[in-house]
Amino acid sequence: MAFRWYNPRTWRMFGYTDPATGDYVEVDLEVGGKRTKAGVRVTTTVALSISMVWSCVKILSESLSGLPLKLYEDSDGDRKLISRTDRAQKLLRKPNPYMTMLNFLKFVVVNMALRGNAFALIERNRNGEAIGLVPLALDSVTIDTEDELLYWIQPKGGERFPVSPDNMLHFKIFSLDGIVGLSPIEYQAETMGLAKAGQQWSSRFMRKGGFTGGYVIYEQFLTEAQQQQVLAKFPDVRKGDADDIGKMAILQGNPKIVPAGLSQKDAQFIESQQFQEEALAGIYGVPLWLANRAGKTSIMGSNLEQQLIGYVTFGLKPYVDAVEDEFNDKLFRGAPRFVEFVVEGLQRADSAGRATLFAAALGGSGGSGWMTINEVRRKENLPPLAGPEYDRVTRWEIQTNAEQA
């Protein structure tokens, strides 16, 4: 049995020097991870070190956390916006003493995008009203489904305690059993590992000055002393570095130097890197241009407006729906209140199209309408106007017949 001190992977330091190769190896600061066929152990830290994963997670978290979160109440068919002085509004602005809702939502999206789950403990007063939302580290929560659904929390330096589902916010995108969310790091580890392996290979390639190693071939056999002389004149490929570029070695005896391995061009490294970036962007539903990548025309549309609508619909909306659904179920269950994100701010480029649609729906340009003014206002998350004329559908045929009569 190996002791902890003699196992480099358990050292909680920056890394260690591999005695076999002399290379410095970084130690994952996160326990676990999944070993891939590319030779890379994928953890949260490793995944975020991939530029495209970082970009996608950053875009998703900042897009959702920047959306206005509105609290409404439906009573007798009328929707009204809750005042900012309401206690529930204070909770939605600052869920706990050390975090605003902006940072809380970033925490939720980042954990969902990387680990598939995000947890937050609901603090309630004696009346059962939610007064605080405490984010929890994923490793501190255990889900027990043996008898009934129960969450166990293991705080640092404390005893484990159970929490009922009613007092736990559990955010997830999708899952196999409907309870535990699927982790992209686990199920897409091969894709992330291949991208990370390409990143590491490129770094080593640049560190070696673009030299991939090779063979020195002589037509005759060399004595042991001659071999040592050649190795002394010719730097060891394993120990070579970018500082060795430009150095010369004197080799006698008509040798032939044959490169070993493939160059970046022969390995189609750039094309492979672009393919991996497209695959990672597809996992998160983020267009390449949003991650500042110049790519081919997106299948979501031929212009930025259509691609932005596609991103909001297929990339961001699943996270929006997951947060809204969990808030409404756990915080406002049994009440006529509900929260809703205003995504119109991300679709301002299509305001002209919406204006044309609503003009026709209201009966403009001599046509028959099929929506009332208040219905349009609700679509735009605006409070309804008072008065029966704002709940009446405009009928062009009725107005024409009335004028003729």
Side-chain angles (χ1 to χ4, degrees), residues 250-269:
I250 300 176
L251 301 177
Q252 305 178 38
N254 192 27
K256 295 180 181 179
I257 300 178
V258 180
L262 297 175
S263 65
Q264 284 193 327
K265 180 179 179 181
D266 294 334
Q268 293 185 320
F269 175 76

Side-chain angles (χ1 to χ4, degrees), residues 350-362:
D350 197 35
S351 296
R354 292 199 329 280
T356 302
L357 171 64
F358 289 147
L362 292 173

Side-chain angles (χ1 to χ4, degrees), residues 22 30 120 133 223 231 235 249 285 289 302 321 354 375 378 402 404:
E30 178 184 345
L133 306 176
T223 64
L231 289 177
W289 63 269
S302 58
D321 293 340
R354 292 199 329 280
E375 287 175 340
R378 292 189 184 96
Q404 292 177 352

Side-chain angles (χ1 to χ4, degrees), residues 12 32 37 73 79 100 116 141 153 164 180 184 191-192 217 230 241 249 254 271 279 283 294-295 310 327 331 350 385:
R12 314 317 293 167
K37 294 179 180 178
E73 182 174 320
R79 173 185 295 189
T100 63
V141 181
I153 300 178
S164 66
V180 182
T191 302
M192 296 182 181
I217 302 176
V230 170
D241 209 330
N254 192 27
E271 290 80 358
I283 292 173
F327 275 173
L331 301 181
D350 197 35
L385 300 176

